[in-house]
Each structure stands twice: as C-alpha cells, then as structure tokens.
Amino acid sequence: AQSVTQLGSHVSVSEGALVLLRCNYSSSVPPYLFWYVQYPNQGLQLLLKYTSAATLVKGINGFEAEFKKSETSFHLTKPSAHMSDAAEYFCAVSGGSNYKLTFGKGTLLTVNP
Amino acid sequence: EADIYQTPRYLVIGTGKKITLECSQTMGHDKMYWYQQDPGMELHLIHYSYGVNSTEKGDLSSESTVSRIRTEHFPLTLESARPSHTSQYLCASGVSGGTYEQYFGPGTRLTVT
C-alpha cells in the first residue's frame, strides 16, 4: 500500500521568499514520486518527477525537490516565490506493478505582494 | 501537438438527465483514468483503463460508468444525474512501462440542479 501526507493544507509566503512545501510518503516498493500544480479551474500540470535517478530533481518554473529515503520525504522548494506561483500543489506516489497514482490532500500556496 | 482534451469544460444540467463527459488523448497512451475532485479538495480515482475493452472501478465508488472502445477515447457516463454528482471530473492518461506519470486534461465542472 502507498500513501502520501502533505504537511500544511495552506502555506503563505511573501513574494521573493523561499517556498517549501512538505511531502512524506509511504511505499512498500521503490517509489516514483511526483509534484503537480493546479491553477483555478484547470487540470493538473506535472512540475517534476523522481524516478530513482538523481535524488535532487529539477522541474519547471524554478521548482526542485529532493528525495530523502531515510526520511521518506520529497519536499518541494523554490528559492524565490513569484505571484504566479499561487496555486494548489499535489504530491503523488506510484510504483511496482501499480500504475495508479496516490495523491496527497494538496497544499494551497498563496503569495503575498 | 500531443494533448488530452475534455468536453464540455462546464456543464449545468437538471436532475435525472443522462450525461456523457468526453475525454480524448492524442499521445497514444494505453492507460487512462477518471478522477473526481470537489473544490479545493483531493483527487479521488473513480475509473481506470489499461487498454481497449479494459475498464476497472477506482478507489472511490461512483455511479458513473466508462467505456474504452478506442485507445484515444475514454468517455464517462451518468445515466441519471443527481445534485450529489456536482463536482469537477478530471481525465488523465499515462505511459506504459517506465515512469508512471500521468497527464491531465483541463477538467469538466459539472453542476446538477
């Protein structure tokens, strides 16, 4: 069984500040991990993915995430927040023979001017 | 351009009507999925398909049905819409073998009055 916990349903930062969105996972098989972003009234867009290659993964829009097996974490970061980063962010896990994604409950990021 | 499409984007319909939400992808993916998402909430998998003539129910029980007659097409049908079906429905497709990521359509926001 797989599960994802996103700590903090709502994160608020100032423009230009560091963005840190937390994700912890549980998986009985080597995991594939993903971060998706959802803007209002839109579908989900893939930000980045971990697929057992490099532990530090770079994605689109300046985001990156680090896979830490010992901590079962895959936190998403961005050095400097932009107003356009305001959105809902979802962490997801998959792996083994299961082609389904298990999503976290999401974190709403607001960016204050 | 390879993409995934959903129509209609918005639908307001009365109780008891039959509706079909359309989903098509031009990426040649054999795996397709339907998720239900209430505003600001997590995604729940309601149906998936790993190929033509193959459909399975997801983790969240749904009164909807799906079909997969062609690789690129995965429509969802509600025989008799009810206000409890009001939600956003997201369609996704995924690659075979490899990295497990899914690509999402823009969603259909359904309101049943």
Side-chain angles (χ1 to χ4, degrees), chain B residues 6-110:
Chain B
Q6 289 187 246
T7 57
R9 289 293 318 278
Y10 302 92
L11 179 62
V12 180
I13 201 163
T15 298
K17 299 292 186 182
K18 178 180 179 178
I19 60 171
T20 296
L21 307 184
E22 300 288 348
C23 177
S24 295
Q25 51 99 0
T26 58
M27 294 177 281
H29 292 163
D30 57 355
K31 293 172 177 54
M32 296 190 74
Y33 309 82
W34 276 103
Y35 294 86
Q36 185 174 341
Q37 183 188 31
D38 291 326
M41 302 294 284
E42 64 199 290
L43 283 78
H44 295 285
L45 180 68
I46 52 174
H47 298 285
Y48 62 99
S49 168
Y50 287 171
V52 171
N53 295 324
S54 161
T55 61
E56 301 286 344
K57 290 189 177 295
D59 305 322
L60 179 69
S61 176
S62 173
E63 294 170 343
S64 59
T65 60
V66 293
S67 62
R68 190 87 183 275
I69 299 173
R70 304 197 317 266
T71 298
E72 63 272 22
H73 194 213
F74 191 43
L76 180 146
T77 298
L78 277 165
E79 290 293 332
S80 180
R82 297 207 301 246
S84 60
H85 297 139
T86 294
S87 189
Q88 173 157 260
Y89 293 84
L90 293 168
C91 181
S93 70
V95 298
S96 269
T99 53
Y100 295 75
E101 70 263 33
Q102 295 177 18
Y103 298 90
F104 285 78
T108 294
R109 184 166 296 282
L110 172 66

